[in-house]
Amino acid sequence: MTIAAAHAARVPLRRSTPEQRADWLEAVASALDAAAEELIGIAAGETHLPLPRLTGELKRTTFQARLFAQGLRSGELLPVRMDEADPEWGMGPRPDLRRTVVPIGPVLVFAASNFPFAFSVFGGDTVSALAAGCPVVVKAHPGHPLLSRRTAGVVVESLAEAGAPDGAFALIEGVEASLEALRDPRIKAVGFTGSTKGGRALFDIAAARPEPIPFYGELGSVNPVVVTPAAWAERGAAVAEGWVGSLTLGAGQFCTNPGVVLVPDPDGFLKAVDLPVPGRMLTTGLEEGFAAAVAEVGAHQGVRVAAESPANDQGVRSSVLNVAAADVIADPAVLDVEMFGPAGLVVGYTSQDELLEVLRRVPGQLTGTIQGHSSGDDAVAVEVADVLADTAGRIVWNDWPTGVTVSGAQQHGGPYPASTAPASTSVGLAAISRWQRPVAFQGAPDSVLPPELRNR
Amino acid sequence: MTIAAAHAARVPLRRSTPEQRADWLEAVASALDAAAEELIGIAAGETHLPLPRLTGELKRTTFQARLFAQGLRSGELLPVRMDEADPEWGMGPRPDLRRTVVPIGPVLVFAASNFPFAFSVFGGDTVSALAAGCPVVVKAHPGHPLLSRRTAGVVVESLAEAGAPDGAFALIEGVEASLEALRDPRIKAVGFTGSTKGGRALFDIAAARPEPIPFYGELGSVNPVVVTPAAWAERGAAVAEGWVGSLTLGAGQFCTNPGVVLVPDPDGFLKAVDLPVPGRMLTTGLEEGFAAAVAEVGAHQGVRVAAESPANDQGVRSSVLNVAAADVIADPAVLDVEMFGPAGLVVGYTSQDELLEVLRRVPGQLTGTIQGHSSGDDAVAVEVADVLADTAGRIVWNDWPTGVTVSGAQQHGGPYPASTAPASTSVGLAAISRWQRPVAFQGAPDSVLPPELRNR
């Protein structure tokens, strides 16, 4: 019934104006802000995330919705292209052609565990799909069911009050319901944020449907960091401290967590590493997966545990492992293992060639970070950036990959396994294009054209 | 070895400037123009297409290459977006973020049978991928092997003379070699033009790889045409004549062939239909597939053969089948069968509701055509356009879908089975985005940034 309602809503949503959709997004943002205290309280109980983090994340979530609303009002999110008729066109007379975008249809969103607001019920996937004019069915993450239900309640109520069509948004729960939705022919695209294993299983189902549909999966990443010799000489201890801060932020539960760092002086680097006791992880499932991943990395050639923090109340420790670049080159599969939690692998390199050899073996990544000389005059950094351009979606300079800003130029995606759709982003205004389908009108009069293509 | 060369070429191609790539495309276009007489002679022998058609198609092919070159020079095909640092950004301070695109990597192109120039060795997929900076490996279509080899010879030689890297382009032949390439981890995206059955089989392989890759398949379409009651009253016979012309053009061997026409007065329409003896089809395989598809459509509920032309020398006839809308609503699978050749299905409707009911049952289409009242004042046409916006990639008004212009606003694609990637186009300048991957740089100095992102 949920899918039927989404299917029915696709026509009024397609006919809605960008201004109407902007109103709806803003109405939900205001309602979420108004319910902030209640929502954050529920979230804190379910996720163990600290209040400042949850407060900031909700702020980010409503900011994001308003940013899409603003993009709808400015016209930036509705790209049109007009080619007037041209009898002299080089391949023969050209008819009048005007291209716009239409919503792709009902979208299924799989919410993430680690951002209970910003990548969950009313997170980036939902907001960008609604902005595009697509009905959205969200599969709640089982890590925060109460928050999901309460958030969905606020969303449904505020959308209805703002005049959005029935069926524009719905929440479903449970694996079975979500698989049924994934296979439903009325669902036309999927957004997913989570693990490579889980995302790949769902991608395979989407691709095997009688009508295969786009599956936008934001999956795993180890987010390599390169510390150049010049940066090491300039500010080594500060780099090590910055890395630990980014690595252990939020108990390391970020897809942009910098899990691998390549350094020219591993002993010196490790000496500068001071690991904090981690915060409590989101779920016991994540704790178990984290421990297994750390053990898996530790079992690869030449890897040793170099440092560990004391355990937190759940027995989880921050840890740093160490390996030589030569061992990674011999056994590069170690680079495929994402330790989703507060653990990182320090790779010591002995030459620029060895550094680049390791980097070329890194699979597709959301981010790659360069800690280079602050002057920018750093030949190693230039080479590293060139290799990362083959691998990563975002290249970070003298900063850390965690803390992903939402803006027009943001790119959050990359070659597989970072993403199942490397030409798309799941964060930032360009995320809307995942849910838009171009349609060209040839020689059509104003009466038939959508408003944005009519003669002025 | 071909794939190894393409893999090696990816780095110099990524580092090449748009101006260099424009030079290469123009060099090939000039070389193909210079070899026109020889190439068209080979093509005529292998494809049975008439000389004027082949001459026009080669002109279109070199025009297309030059259009991409021009787009590279103007900067239009290299979209960049810059967000300067903003300490007051609503979700917290925003770093400097600059986004550009990089080539996705080596591309495998499956050439089409029906456009031996424009969708073949140096057709739209090849040209758009080279423009993006991707090495291209083309799988020759077995329908025109001599032309494929000779064209590839011209391409390889002129690229080398123009200074393009070795390995930027190669031709392969045979199913086995192409499947090996499709499974090769160094291939990062695929372009395909052909049948739904063949395209789907290759799509499934691409999706099942350890690293699944984007598969841009332009597949089947029946390209419905709606004749509104007002258009019928205004100029019925001319519409029927125009339809037959588009339907039988090039022996009906176009993916935009208008294979289904919905009319308010089927008897009157059929009286105005005058079918020509078709030209010779491209291959005996296509002749057999065409005969089978016509028989398959004829076996659906209520379908009858309404008219046939005399046979051509190969025994192929143009034909028109007829069915009532009520039968199509009861047995909509008839709309899934593409008769790739000079045959069409006339669907008679008795009411606007019935017309729209049939249209809603049409699967994804490359095009939908409306023959409406020339004044544009046609309420039925407005309703039809609204339904087609859910289904088709291009909506054609009072014109015919065959003859696809290459321009900036063109859209050639649509929901499955028209395409495996409904948000993309295989014709027009936007086709380049299939081969581009966005990369954002955060806080990077000019020394690390690609030229297009540096401070001015």
Side-chain angles (χ1 to χ4, degrees), chain B residues 171-263:
Chain B
L171 186 75
I172 61 174
E173 295 186 60
V175 171
E176 202 172 324
S178 69
L179 292 181
E180 201 175 307
L182 180 57
R183 295 186 173 111
D184 193 296
R186 294 166 296 188
I187 292 290
K188 296 301 184 189
V190 186
F192 172 90
T193 308
S195 71
T196 301
K197 193 180 161 194
R200 181 61 191 261
L202 298 172
F203 168 88
D204 288 345
I205 294 172
R209 291 168 34 130
E211 176 188 351
I213 50 175
F215 184 95
Y216 298 102
E218 194 263 77
L219 313 178
S221 218
V222 300
N223 303 295
V225 176
V226 172
V227 183
T228 69
W232 177 249
E234 184 186 38
R235 55 178 204 285
V239 168
E241 189 183 341
W243 178 66
V244 169
S246 181
L247 182 75
T248 59
L249 187 73
Q253 300 166 111
F254 293 112
C255 48
T256 54
N257 192 38
V260 170
V261 60
L262 294 116
V263 301

Side-chain angles (χ1 to χ4, degrees), chain A residues 14-15 76 81 83 89 99 200 209-210 376 386 389-390 392-395 397 406-409 437 440 442-443 447, chain B residues 14-15 76 81 83 89 99 200 209-210 376 386 389 392-395 397 406-409 437 440 442-443 447:
Chain A
R14 174 162 55 73
R15 291 177 184 156
E76 161 181 21
R81 165 95 188 216
D83 289 345
W89 193 236
R99 189 181 63 214
R200 180 62 190 261
R209 291 168 32 130
D386 185 70
D390 254 358
R394 177 165 56 109
I395 297 175
W397 172 263
V406 181
S407 77
R437 187 171 68 75
Q442 179 173 326
S447 57
Chain B
R14 174 162 54 74
R15 290 177 185 158
E76 161 180 21
R81 164 95 189 215
D83 289 344
W89 193 236
R99 189 180 63 213
R200 181 61 191 261
R209 291 168 34 130
D386 185 70
R394 178 165 54 108
I395 297 175
W397 172 263
V406 180
S407 78
R437 186 171 67 75
Q442 179 173 327
S447 58

Side-chain angles (χ1 to χ4, degrees), chain A residues 10-11 14-15 56 59-60 63 67 76 81-83 89-95 97-99 102-104 188 200 203-204 206-214 216 360 365 370 375-378 381-383 385-401 403-411 413-417 420-425 429-430 433-434 436-445 447-448, chain B residues 10-11 14-15 56 59-60 63 67 76 81-83 89-95 97-99 102-104 188 200 203-204 206-214 216 360 365 370 375-378 381-383 385-401 403-411 413-417 420-425 429-430 433-434 436-445 447-448:
Chain A
R10 83 194 190 289
V11 174
R14 174 162 55 73
R15 291 177 184 156
K59 180 180 169 191
R60 172 202 167 119
F63 170 80
L67 191 69
E76 161 181 21
R81 165 95 188 216
M82 317 265 215
D83 289 345
W89 193 236
M91 61 174 276
R94 182 178 78 184
L97 265 183
R98 306 175 186 203
R99 189 181 63 214
V102 297
I104 198 167
K188 297 301 184 189
R200 180 62 190 261
F203 168 89
D204 288 344
R209 291 168 32 130
E211 176 189 350
I213 50 174
Y216 298 102
R360 288 196 193 96
Q365 297 294 319
I370 308 169
S375 68
D377 183 11
D378 188 331
V382 173
E383 293 295 321
D386 185 70
V387 176
L388 287 178
D390 254 358
T391 308
R394 177 165 56 109
I395 297 175
V396 179
W397 172 263
N398 285 1
D399 198 350
W400 301 101
V404 184
T405 202
V406 181
S407 77
Q410 187 56 279
Q411 171 60 25
Y416 189 86
T420 58
S424 72
T425 179
L429 289 177
S433 66
R434 299 176 296 168
Q436 293 173 324
R437 187 171 68 75
V439 175
F441 288 79
Q442 179 173 326
S447 57
V448 164
Chain B
R10 83 194 189 290
V11 174
R14 174 162 54 74
R15 290 177 185 158
K59 180 180 170 192
R60 172 202 168 118
F63 169 80
L67 191 68
E76 161 180 21
R81 164 95 189 215
M82 316 264 216
D83 289 344
W89 193 236
M91 61 173 277
R94 182 178 78 185
L97 267 182
R98 306 174 187 205
R99 189 180 63 213
V102 297
I104 197 166
K188 296 301 184 189
R200 181 61 191 261
F203 168 88
D204 288 345
R209 291 168 34 130
E211 176 188 351
I213 50 175
Y216 298 102
R360 287 195 193 98
Q365 297 294 319
I370 307 169
S375 68
D377 182 11
D378 188 331
V382 173
E383 293 294 321
D386 185 70
V387 175
L388 287 177
D390 253 358
T391 309
R394 178 165 54 108
I395 297 175
V396 179
W397 172 263
N398 286 0
D399 198 349
W400 301 101
V404 183
T405 202
V406 180
S407 78
Q410 187 55 279
Q411 171 60 23
Y416 189 86
T420 57
S424 71
T425 179
L429 289 177
S433 66
R434 298 175 297 168
Q436 293 173 323
R437 186 171 67 75
V439 176
F441 288 78
Q442 179 173 327
S447 58
V448 164

Side-chain angles (χ1 to χ4, degrees), chain B residues 44-282:
Chain B
E46 284 189 312
T47 65
H48 324 301
L49 293 172
L51 289 179
R53 153 73 197 272
L54 290 167
T55 304
E57 192 186 321
L58 181 54
K59 180 180 170 192
R60 172 202 168 118
T61 305
T62 56
F63 169 80
Q64 176 168 261
R66 293 189 178 102
L67 191 68
F68 275 95
Q70 187 183 315
L72 287 170
R73 292 192 199 285
S74 74
E76 161 180 21
L77 296 180
L78 192 68
V80 301
R81 164 95 189 215
M82 316 264 216
D83 289 344
E84 58 189 18
D86 182 353
E88 305 301 324
W89 193 236
M91 61 173 277
R94 182 178 78 185
D96 178 284
L97 267 182
R98 306 174 187 205
R99 189 180 63 213
T100 184
V101 289
V102 297
I104 197 166
V107 168
L108 175 63
V109 169
F110 287 85
S113 65
N114 60 338
F115 281 91
F117 292 115
F119 283 86
S120 191
V121 174
F122 201 69
D125 285 342
T126 301
V127 164
S128 57
L130 283 173
C134 297
V136 178
V137 176
V138 176
K139 191 262 184 183
H141 194 278
H144 45 269
L146 300 176
L147 178 66
S148 298
R149 285 172 214 151
R150 186 64 195 111
T151 305
V154 173
V155 173
V156 168
E157 191 180 356
S158 51
L159 282 178
E161 272 174 22
D166 286 347
F169 170 90
L171 186 75
I172 61 174
E173 295 186 60
V175 171
E176 202 172 324
S178 69
L179 292 181
E180 201 175 307
L182 180 57
R183 295 186 173 111
D184 193 296
R186 294 166 296 188
I187 292 290
K188 296 301 184 189
V190 186
F192 172 90
T193 308
S195 71
T196 301
K197 193 180 161 194
R200 181 61 191 261
L202 298 172
F203 168 88
D204 288 345
I205 294 172
R209 291 168 34 130
E211 176 188 351
I213 50 175
F215 184 95
Y216 298 102
E218 194 263 77
L219 313 178
S221 218
V222 300
N223 303 295
V225 176
V226 172
V227 183
T228 69
W232 177 249
E234 184 186 38
R235 55 178 204 285
V239 168
E241 189 183 341
W243 178 66
V244 169
S246 181
L247 182 75
T248 59
L249 187 73
Q253 300 166 111
F254 293 112
C255 48
T256 54
N257 192 38
V260 170
V261 60
L262 294 116
V263 301
D265 174 5
D267 294 338
F269 189 88
L270 287 166
K271 263 182 213 143
V273 159
D274 182 18
L275 289 173
V277 176
R280 183 170 171 184
M281 294 188 75
L282 291 157

Side-chain angles (χ1 to χ4, degrees), chain B residues 273-300:
Chain B
V273 159
D274 182 18
L275 289 173
V277 176
R280 183 170 171 184
M281 294 188 75
L282 291 157
T283 66
T284 53
L286 282 179
E287 288 170 7
E288 289 159 14
F290 173 59
V294 173
E296 187 181 349
V297 169
H300 278 276

